[in-house]
Amino acid sequence: MSRIRCILRGLDVKTYIFMFAVIPMCVFGFYIHGQKISYFLRPLWEKAPKPFNVIPHYYNENITMENLCRLHGWGVREYPRRVYDAVLFSNELEILTLRWRELYPYITEFVVLESNSTFTGLPKPLVFNSNREQFKFVEPRLTYGTIGGRFKKGENPFVEEAYQRVALDHLLKIAGITDDDLLIMSDVDEIPSAHTINLLRWCDEVPSILHLQLKNYLYSFEFRVDDKSWRASIHRYQTGKTRYAHYRQSDDILADAGWHCSFCFRRISDFIFKMKAYSHYDRVRFSHYLNPERIQKVICKGTDLFDMLPEEYTFRDIIGKMGSIPHSYSAVHLPAFLLENSEKYKFLLPGNCKRER
C-alpha cells in the first residue's frame, strides 16, 4: 500500500483526470458504440464479395412471351414449367398474403413450413395454422407442414434456421416437386414479381440457379433503401442436388425482379417479436431497443431499429447511407393486390408510418 501511495503522490492533476475520467469514458463509449466503430471500419478488414453477373430484365405487358424470352437470349418453351413457392413462416401474415396474391396465377404448389420455435429457441404459436382460413384461396394448392423446435438455449440461431430449411427440403418432396420444376427460394418478405416468375417458367435455357435482384424496402414501401437485395433465388430443381438455402449459390442475378420489404409489419408487437426471434437477435444490444415508443419513432424517421451503420464494404457507401432513409412518395410498380386493397394495407404505403400496438 505504501508503494501505491508513493506512486499516487507523484501524479499530477492532469494524470488523475486522464486515469479516472478520460479512460473510463473511452471504455464506456466503446461499449455503447463499439458495433458502430466495427461496422465503420469494415472496409479495412473485409473485402466486398465478387460482383454478380447482372442479367438485364426486359418486360412490358404488351410484348409477347416469345419476344421477351428472345430479348433475354433464351428460347421459348411449348408449355410452361411447374413452379413451387416454398417458405419458412414465422408471423408475417400480411406480407405472406401479398406474396401469394402476387404469385397466385403462376404457382403450381405453395409450400409452407412452420415451427413452434423461433430461430433463437423461443416458443411461438403456430400463427399460420391459427389463421389458415385467411388463405383459403390457395388451399387446393397448399402443402403445409410443421416441425417441433429443439429449444436449445445459447445455440447459434443459424443452426436452428438450417435445421428448419432441411425440413423444408423434405416437405418439398412430399409436395411432389420433380426435376426441372422451378423452385423459388426466398424469405416470406422477399417477393418476386408475377411477371418475373411467368417469364422464367416460359423461357428455355434459363440458368439452373438464378438469383433475383429485388428493390430493398424497410418498414413499408415508403422507405426504399437500395436495389441490392440478392438472397432470393429460383432453381431448376434437380433431385439429390438442389438444397433449400438462403446464401449465394450462383454468380447470375436477374435485375429488377421484385420487392424485399423487411420489417413490414402492421403492429409494433410484431416488430418486437421479430427483433427477439430472428437469427440476428444479437443486434438487440440494449433492452430499450424494444421500447414501443422508440420503435414507432424509428419507423416514422426511417432510421435503423438496431442503431447500426449500413452494412457496406466501402467508406463511400457507408457514409452515403448514414442517417435516415429518404422518404419516397411513389407507389408505382408495387404489387397489384396491395394497391387494389390500399385501405386494408395502407400501413405499407407512403405517408402511413403510424403502427397499431
Side-chain angles (χ1 to χ4, degrees):
M1 290 295 294
S2 59
R3 290 183 180 179
I4 294 175
R5 290 194 191 98
C6 290
I7 293 172
L8 293 176
R9 288 195 192 106
L11 301 178
D12 57 21
V13 175
K14 291 181 179 179
T15 304
Y16 277 116
I17 294 173
F18 181 79
M19 288 178 60
F20 297 107
V22 176
I23 291 179
M25 286 175 64
C26 289
V27 172
F28 180 73
F30 190 82
Y31 171 71
I32 297 295
H33 300 292
Q35 189 180 64
K36 285 186 176 180
I37 295 170
S38 174
Y39 270 74
F40 185 77
L41 297 178
R42 187 179 193 176
L44 300 179
W45 52 266
E46 187 172 356
K47 292 183 179 180
K50 178 184 175 182
F52 279 100
N53 170 40
V54 182
I55 299 173
H57 190 170
Y58 303 92
Y59 174 72
N60 186 285
E61 60 185 11
N62 297 317
I63 305 298
T64 66
M65 187 57 67
E66 183 177 1
N67 282 335
L68 286 174
C69 290
R70 180 178 54 80
L71 283 167
H72 291 84
W74 303 325
V76 66
R77 295 168 56 87
E78 293 184 6
Y79 55 90
R81 291 184 181 87
R82 302 194 307 167
V83 184
Y84 285 71
D85 182 37
V87 294
L88 294 175
F89 182 80
S90 177
N91 67 328
E92 313 95 328
L93 288 171
E94 289 88 1
I95 291 297
L96 183 64
T97 301
L98 289 184
R99 177 193 184 96
W100 282 359
R101 289 287 186 180
E102 172 72 14
L103 298 176
Y104 181 80
Y106 307 122
I107 301 300
T108 305
E109 192 75 10
F110 297 92
V111 182
V112 58
L113 179 70
E114 185 172 27
S115 175
N116 64 348
S117 167
T118 68
F119 293 158
T120 54
L122 298 174
K124 65 173 283 289
L126 297 176
V127 179
F128 181 89
N129 194 47
S130 300
N131 293 272
R132 192 162 175 167
E133 190 72 12
Q134 296 182 26
F135 301 96
K136 286 195 300 183
F137 68 99
V138 303
E139 193 67 40
R141 290 187 261 159
L142 175 64
T143 299
Y144 171 69
T146 61
I147 182 171
R150 296 173 306 133
F151 300 104
K152 293 191 175 180
K153 292 185 178 180
E155 185 178 65
N156 187 321
F158 289 99
V159 175
E160 177 66 27
E161 181 178 347
Y163 169 71
Q164 294 186 24
R165 294 190 189 280
V166 170
L168 191 51
D169 278 327
H170 293 292
L171 190 60
L172 279 163
K173 294 174 183 177
I174 294 172
I177 196 167
T178 56
D179 285 352
D180 208 42
D181 290 341
L182 291 183
L183 170 59
I184 302 171
M185 293 187 191
S186 70
D187 287 349
V188 170
D189 58 8
E190 297 167 337
I191 308 173
S193 61
H195 68 80
T196 296
I197 300 306
N198 196 32
L199 173 77
L200 296 175
R201 75 190 191 116
W202 271 108
C203 294
D204 220 349
E205 303 158 9
V206 300
S208 58
I209 301 176
L210 181 64
H211 281 275
L212 303 177
Q213 186 183 68
L214 309 179
K215 296 172 184 173
N216 210 7
Y217 294 89
L218 190 61
Y219 311 139
S220 73
F221 291 102
E222 179 173 349
F223 297 105
R224 182 171 171 179
V225 181
D226 54 33
D227 298 320
K228 294 184 178 181
S229 180
W230 57 266
R231 290 184 178 273
S233 58
I234 189 159
H235 299 240
R236 289 164 55 186
Y237 189 82
Q238 298 180 58
T239 302
K241 185 174 181 181
T242 302
R243 294 286 182 269
Y244 197 98
H246 199 235
Y247 49 76
R248 183 165 175 169
Q249 303 177 71
S250 167
D251 291 335
D252 295 320
I253 189 168
L254 182 65
D256 198 6
W259 314 269
H260 180 191
C261 199
S262 185
F263 280 92
C264 291
F265 296 113
R266 183 189 298 275
R267 299 174 186 83
I268 296 292
S269 58
D270 290 330
F271 282 82
I272 295 172
F273 175 82
K274 180 169 181 177
M275 291 171 75
K276 295 191 295 184
Y278 85 141
S279 298
H280 294 288
Y281 172 64
D282 60 308
R283 295 177 178 179
V284 185
R285 295 177 294 127
F286 306 105
S287 60
H288 74 270
Y289 282 8
L290 301 174
N291 179 277
E293 286 76 21
R294 174 191 176 272
I295 292 172
Q296 180 61 79
K297 289 178 182 177
V298 166
I299 295 168
C300 287
K301 288 181 179 178
T303 51
D304 191 84
L305 278 171
F306 306 100
D307 195 26
M308 291 173 57
L309 290 181
E311 297 183 72
E312 297 292 346
Y313 297 93
T314 68
F315 290 116
R316 169 189 260 180
D317 289 339
I318 292 172
I319 294 171
K321 285 188 176 181
M322 288 174 66
S324 301
I325 304 166
H327 293 255
S328 169
Y329 298 97
S330 171
V332 178
H333 301 307
L334 295 182
F337 185 79
L338 170 60
L339 300 181
E340 290 167 354
N341 297 270
S342 58
E343 188 59 32
K344 183 177 181 180
Y345 295 99
K346 65 181 180 180
F347 70 96
L348 292 174
L349 295 171
N352 296 280
C353 68
K354 294 293 183 180
R355 295 295 191 266
E356 300 173 16
R357 286 299 180 98

